[in-house]
mmCIF file with all atom_site columns, all heavy atoms in Angstrom:
data_model
loop_
_atom_site.group_PDB
_atom_site.id
_atom_site.type_symbol
_atom_site.label_atom_id
_atom_site.label_alt_id
_atom_site.label_comp_id
_atom_site.label_asym_id
_atom_site.label_entity_id
_atom_site.label_seq_id
_atom_site.pdbx_PDB_ins_code
_atom_site.Cartn_x
_atom_site.Cartn_y
_atom_site.Cartn_z
_atom_site.occupancy
_atom_site.B_iso_or_equiv
_atom_site.pdbx_formal_charge
_atom_site.auth_seq_id
_atom_site.auth_comp_id
_atom_site.auth_asym_id
_atom_site.auth_atom_id
_atom_site.pdbx_PDB_model_num
ATOM 1  N N   . CYS A 1 42 ? 12.124 12.631 -11.672 1.00 0.00 ? 62 CYS A N   1
ATOM 2  C CA  . CYS A 1 42 ? 11.424 13.906 -11.837 1.00 0.00 ? 62 CYS A CA  1
ATOM 3  C C   . CYS A 1 42 ? 9.964  13.709 -12.241 1.00 0.00 ? 62 CYS A C   1
ATOM 4  O O   . CYS A 1 42 ? 9.118  14.566 -11.972 1.00 0.00 ? 62 CYS A O   1
ATOM 5  C CB  . CYS A 1 42 ? 12.143 14.804 -12.830 1.00 0.00 ? 62 CYS A CB  1
ATOM 6  S SG  . CYS A 1 42 ? 12.210 14.134 -14.497 1.00 0.00 ? 62 CYS A SG  1
ATOM 7  N N   . LEU A 1 43 ? 9.645  12.580 -12.855 1.00 0.00 ? 63 LEU A N   1
ATOM 8  C CA  . LEU A 1 43 ? 8.262  12.303 -13.231 1.00 0.00 ? 63 LEU A CA  1
ATOM 9  C C   . LEU A 1 43 ? 7.429  11.830 -12.046 1.00 0.00 ? 63 LEU A C   1
ATOM 10 O O   . LEU A 1 43 ? 6.204  11.869 -12.092 1.00 0.00 ? 63 LEU A O   1
ATOM 11 C CB  . LEU A 1 43 ? 8.210  11.249 -14.342 1.00 0.00 ? 63 LEU A CB  1
ATOM 12 C CG  . LEU A 1 43 ? 8.820  11.650 -15.678 1.00 0.00 ? 63 LEU A CG  1
ATOM 13 C CD1 . LEU A 1 43 ? 8.744  10.484 -16.654 1.00 0.00 ? 63 LEU A CD1 1
ATOM 14 C CD2 . LEU A 1 43 ? 8.142  12.883 -16.251 1.00 0.00 ? 63 LEU A CD2 1
ATOM 15 N N   . ASN A 1 44 ? 8.090  11.387 -10.983 1.00 0.00 ? 64 ASN A N   1
ATOM 16 C CA  . ASN A 1 44 ? 7.382  10.860 -9.819  1.00 0.00 ? 64 ASN A CA  1
ATOM 17 C C   . ASN A 1 44 ? 7.021  11.942 -8.808  1.00 0.00 ? 64 ASN A C   1
ATOM 18 O O   . ASN A 1 44 ? 6.199  11.713 -7.931  1.00 0.00 ? 64 ASN A O   1
ATOM 19 C CB  . ASN A 1 44 ? 8.232  9.796  -9.117  1.00 0.00 ? 64 ASN A CB  1
ATOM 20 C CG  . ASN A 1 44 ? 8.484  8.611  -10.001 1.00 0.00 ? 64 ASN A CG  1
ATOM 21 O OD1 . ASN A 1 44 ? 7.659  8.244  -10.815 1.00 0.00 ? 64 ASN A OD1 1
ATOM 22 N ND2 . ASN A 1 44 ? 9.650  7.999  -9.850  1.00 0.00 ? 64 ASN A ND2 1
ATOM 23 N N   . ALA A 1 45 ? 7.642  13.098 -8.903  1.00 0.00 ? 65 ALA A N   1
ATOM 24 C CA  . ALA A 1 45 ? 7.429  14.168 -7.927  1.00 0.00 ? 65 ALA A CA  1
ATOM 25 C C   . ALA A 1 45 ? 5.951  14.542 -7.863  1.00 0.00 ? 65 ALA A C   1
ATOM 26 O O   . ALA A 1 45 ? 5.327  14.881 -8.856  1.00 0.00 ? 65 ALA A O   1
ATOM 27 C CB  . ALA A 1 45 ? 8.271  15.375 -8.285  1.00 0.00 ? 65 ALA A CB  1
ATOM 28 N N   . GLY A 1 46 ? 5.399  14.478 -6.678  1.00 0.00 ? 66 GLY A N   1
ATOM 29 C CA  . GLY A 1 46 ? 4.009  14.853 -6.474  1.00 0.00 ? 66 GLY A CA  1
ATOM 30 C C   . GLY A 1 46 ? 2.996  13.836 -6.958  1.00 0.00 ? 66 GLY A C   1
ATOM 31 O O   . GLY A 1 46 ? 1.806  14.052 -6.859  1.00 0.00 ? 66 GLY A O   1
ATOM 32 N N   . TYR A 1 47 ? 3.449  12.714 -7.458  1.00 0.00 ? 67 TYR A N   1
ATOM 33 C CA  . TYR A 1 47 ? 2.536  11.689 -7.972  1.00 0.00 ? 67 TYR A CA  1
ATOM 34 C C   . TYR A 1 47 ? 2.403  10.577 -6.952  1.00 0.00 ? 67 TYR A C   1
ATOM 35 O O   . TYR A 1 47 ? 3.390  9.986  -6.544  1.00 0.00 ? 67 TYR A O   1
ATOM 36 C CB  . TYR A 1 47 ? 3.084  11.119 -9.293  1.00 0.00 ? 67 TYR A CB  1
ATOM 37 C CG  . TYR A 1 47 ? 2.247  10.012 -9.878  1.00 0.00 ? 67 TYR A CG  1
ATOM 38 C CD1 . TYR A 1 47 ? 0.986  10.262 -10.381 1.00 0.00 ? 67 TYR A CD1 1
ATOM 39 C CD2 . TYR A 1 47 ? 2.727  8.710  -9.910  1.00 0.00 ? 67 TYR A CD2 1
ATOM 40 C CE1 . TYR A 1 47 ? 0.215  9.255  -10.930 1.00 0.00 ? 67 TYR A CE1 1
ATOM 41 C CE2 . TYR A 1 47 ? 1.959  7.684  -10.456 1.00 0.00 ? 67 TYR A CE2 1
ATOM 42 C CZ  . TYR A 1 47 ? 0.713  7.972  -10.962 1.00 0.00 ? 67 TYR A CZ  1
ATOM 43 O OH  . TYR A 1 47 ? -0.049 6.962  -11.495 1.00 0.00 ? 67 TYR A OH  1
ATOM 44 N N   . VAL A 1 48 ? 1.198  10.349 -6.494  1.00 0.00 ? 68 VAL A N   1
ATOM 45 C CA  . VAL A 1 48 ? 0.949  9.294  -5.520  1.00 0.00 ? 68 VAL A CA  1
ATOM 46 C C   . VAL A 1 48 ? 0.106  8.238  -6.210  1.00 0.00 ? 68 VAL A C   1
ATOM 47 O O   . VAL A 1 48 ? -1.080 8.116  -6.008  1.00 0.00 ? 68 VAL A O   1
ATOM 48 C CB  . VAL A 1 48 ? 0.241  9.844  -4.259  1.00 0.00 ? 68 VAL A CB  1
ATOM 49 C CG1 . VAL A 1 48 ? 0.105  8.760  -3.214  1.00 0.00 ? 68 VAL A CG1 1
ATOM 50 C CG2 . VAL A 1 48 ? 1.000  11.031 -3.698  1.00 0.00 ? 68 VAL A CG2 1
ATOM 51 N N   . GLY A 1 49 ? 0.779  7.471  -7.084  1.00 0.00 ? 69 GLY A N   1
ATOM 52 C CA  . GLY A 1 49 ? 0.045  6.545  -7.912  1.00 0.00 ? 69 GLY A CA  1
ATOM 53 C C   . GLY A 1 49 ? 0.170  5.086  -7.534  1.00 0.00 ? 69 GLY A C   1
ATOM 54 O O   . GLY A 1 49 ? -0.390 4.234  -8.193  1.00 0.00 ? 69 GLY A O   1
ATOM 55 N N   . ILE A 1 50 ? 0.916  4.786  -6.494  1.00 0.00 ? 70 ILE A N   1
ATOM 56 C CA  . ILE A 1 50 ? 1.084  3.388  -6.096  1.00 0.00 ? 70 ILE A CA  1
ATOM 57 C C   . ILE A 1 50 ? 0.092  3.091  -4.978  1.00 0.00 ? 70 ILE A C   1
ATOM 58 O O   . ILE A 1 50 ? 0.079  3.766  -3.949  1.00 0.00 ? 70 ILE A O   1
ATOM 59 C CB  . ILE A 1 50 ? 2.526  3.121  -5.645  1.00 0.00 ? 70 ILE A CB  1
ATOM 60 C CG1 . ILE A 1 50 ? 3.473  3.432  -6.794  1.00 0.00 ? 70 ILE A CG1 1
ATOM 61 C CG2 . ILE A 1 50 ? 2.670  1.677  -5.179  1.00 0.00 ? 70 ILE A CG2 1
ATOM 62 C CD1 . ILE A 1 50 ? 4.926  3.355  -6.442  1.00 0.00 ? 70 ILE A CD1 1
ATOM 63 N N   . GLU A 1 51 ? -0.751 2.114  -5.212  1.00 0.00 ? 71 GLU A N   1
ATOM 64 C CA  . GLU A 1 51 ? -1.801 1.775  -4.251  1.00 0.00 ? 71 GLU A CA  1
ATOM 65 C C   . GLU A 1 51 ? -1.527 0.433  -3.599  1.00 0.00 ? 71 GLU A C   1
ATOM 66 O O   . GLU A 1 51 ? -1.130 -0.527 -4.261  1.00 0.00 ? 71 GLU A O   1
ATOM 67 C CB  . GLU A 1 51 ? -3.157 1.723  -4.949  1.00 0.00 ? 71 GLU A CB  1
ATOM 68 C CG  . GLU A 1 51 ? -3.600 3.051  -5.501  1.00 0.00 ? 71 GLU A CG  1
ATOM 69 C CD  . GLU A 1 51 ? -4.965 2.988  -6.139  1.00 0.00 ? 71 GLU A CD  1
ATOM 70 O OE1 . GLU A 1 51 ? -5.416 1.886  -6.530  1.00 0.00 ? 71 GLU A OE1 1
ATOM 71 O OE2 . GLU A 1 51 ? -5.594 4.054  -6.248  1.00 0.00 ? 71 GLU A OE2 1
ATOM 72 N N   . LEU A 1 52 ? -1.753 0.385  -2.310  1.00 0.00 ? 72 LEU A N   1
ATOM 73 C CA  . LEU A 1 52 ? -1.668 -0.845 -1.534  1.00 0.00 ? 72 LEU A CA  1
ATOM 74 C C   . LEU A 1 52 ? -3.099 -1.288 -1.267  1.00 0.00 ? 72 LEU A C   1
ATOM 75 O O   . LEU A 1 52 ? -3.891 -0.526 -0.706  1.00 0.00 ? 72 LEU A O   1
ATOM 76 C CB  . LEU A 1 52 ? -0.916 -0.597 -0.223  1.00 0.00 ? 72 LEU A CB  1
ATOM 77 C CG  . LEU A 1 52 ? -0.716 -1.783 0.702   1.00 0.00 ? 72 LEU A CG  1
ATOM 78 C CD1 . LEU A 1 52 ? 0.074  -2.889 0.000   1.00 0.00 ? 72 LEU A CD1 1
ATOM 79 C CD2 . LEU A 1 52 ? -0.006 -1.344 1.964   1.00 0.00 ? 72 LEU A CD2 1
#
Side-chain angles (χ1 to χ4, degrees):
C62 63
L63 295 178
N64 297 327
Y67 178 68
V68 185
I70 300 174
E71 296 182 338
L72 181 60

